[in-house]
Amino acid sequence: MTNPLDVNLTTAARHLTVAGSNWLWVVTGIMGVSALVALVWSRFQPCGARTFHHIAVAVLSVSSIAYFAMASNLGQTPCRTEFRNGPDRSIFYVRYIQWFINAPLILLALFLTTGLPLSEIFLAIFFILVAVVDGLVGALTPTCYKWVFYGFGTLALLYVISSIRSYALLCCGLKSRLCDKRMYRRWAGYTAVIWLLYPVCWALSEGANILTVNHEMVFYGVLDLLAGPLFFFVFLTGLRDADYDAFGLQSGKASDCVDAPGRPPEKCEDPA
């Protein structure tokens, strides 16, 4: 098989090598298999209890496509670096496209279990998008101004984490039918720790140019595996006995009367 690095070339001095590409292929396979498992898992759930499984399918599918692109040395562009005598470096912007789609979905999955007001959910999703865009713009900025974007993005991320840890936890406690408070505390704490490590990796790679591109891929890849497949496996397992009617996730009158496994017959009565 032709080495994709020989086909999809880059002019950057610091770039992906075969070892890094092989690691990315491994992550691509894990993401793809996890997406298929989540999809099959959702087929075994009642029709009204697939919301979180479908979110997992979407997140893991996007991740598998993004990692396929990175393993093939696509979705990147050379950018001059601020440090280390200024050699240019491959910046994989496709990673930020992945996060732009996935981070709001992960937040949505968490917040839907809490009863958090829609206004708070909207603001948290807005700020996580700000954090991702700031990370991308900062990575593509060759001067010290990149750290301004880094600061803005980090502040936005800290707001999101505070929402996960405080407002959502409070609502979860007030609306006990929606989720178990101790379970949500574990989910929130796990997510907060993992997401706080992303700015660390950014600072060491796209920021200060300390890590090589291969090391960057390993660091981000481990974080994405922890925040993706592992998180959703634990998350969906914890929700297997949840009362989905308490979440209020029905899509509308037509779907309310779908003859789905597990749906009480009285919910499909003709209102006339």
Side-chain angles (χ1 to χ4, degrees):
M1 179 180 178
T2 304
N3 186 340
L5 302 184
D6 294 332
V7 177
N8 306 310
L9 303 176
T10 180
T11 59
R14 308 197 81 183
H15 57 268
L16 186 69
T17 68
V18 174
S21 178
N22 290 340
W23 159 250
L24 292 173
W25 285 118
V26 172
V27 179
T28 301
I30 295 174
M31 293 295 189
V33 170
S34 299
L36 290 175
V37 170
L39 181 61
V40 172
W41 193 353
S42 72
R43 298 298 97 182
F44 288 92
Q45 307 305 311
C47 190
R50 297 176 180 174
T51 301
F52 300 105
H53 296 77
H54 288 172
I55 291 177
V57 171
V59 168
L60 296 170
S61 296
V62 170
S63 295
S64 62
I65 295 171
Y67 271 92
F68 171 82
M70 288 186 283
S72 303
N73 205 32
L74 298 171
Q76 54 85 21
T77 186
C79 180
R80 185 166 55 86
T81 59
E82 179 187 4
F83 301 110
R84 299 264 174 145
N85 299 320
D88 54 354
R89 178 189 184 97
S90 292
I91 300 297
F92 283 82
Y93 57 82
V94 69
R95 183 191 307 283
Y96 294 90
I97 298 174
Q98 169 201 353
W99 292 339
F100 192 85
I101 298 172
N102 284 354
L105 290 176
I106 294 173
L107 271 183
L108 186 63
L110 274 173
F111 287 155
L112 286 178
T113 67
T114 65
L116 192 68
L118 288 178
S119 59
E120 296 295 338
I121 295 177
F122 166 80
L123 196 58
I125 289 177
F126 168 76
F127 276 118
I128 197 62
L129 293 177
V130 168
V132 173
V133 172
D134 278 330
L136 174 59
V137 176
L140 294 174
T141 301
T143 65
C144 62
Y145 285 86
K146 69 168 56 193
W147 297 104
V148 177
F149 292 106
Y150 176 77
F152 287 147
T154 301
L155 289 175
L157 179 62
L158 289 176
Y159 175 85
V160 172
I161 290 175
S162 71
S163 297
I164 294 173
R165 294 289 297 162
S166 56
Y167 295 120
L169 186 58
L170 175 63
C171 291
C172 184
L174 293 174
K175 303 190 176 187
S176 58
R177 287 188 66 207
L178 295 186
C179 76
D180 181 85
K181 192 171 183 177
R182 288 176 298 177
M183 186 179 297
Y184 180 83
R185 192 188 301 274
R186 290 195 293 269
W187 297 336
Y190 176 85
T191 302
V193 170
I194 297 301
W195 282 17
L196 280 173
L197 290 175
Y198 281 95
V200 175
C201 185
W202 190 99
L204 294 174
S205 53
E206 293 108 321
N209 197 32
I210 296 173
L211 298 179
T212 67
V213 174
N214 283 355
H215 292 157
E216 169 196 337
M217 292 302 175
V218 172
F219 200 156
Y220 277 138
V222 170
L223 292 180
D224 283 346
L225 288 173
L226 293 176
L230 184 58
F231 167 77
F232 276 110
F233 175 78
V234 175
F235 182 71
L236 295 175
T237 301
L239 288 175
R240 63 183 182 276
D241 296 323
D243 179 9
Y244 274 77
D245 285 337
F247 296 137
L249 301 177
Q250 289 81 5
S251 60
K253 292 299 181 183
S255 60
D256 280 346
C257 293
V258 173
D259 186 14
R263 184 178 296 278
E266 60 271 15
K267 294 204 171 183
C268 293
E269 293 176 356
D270 188 346

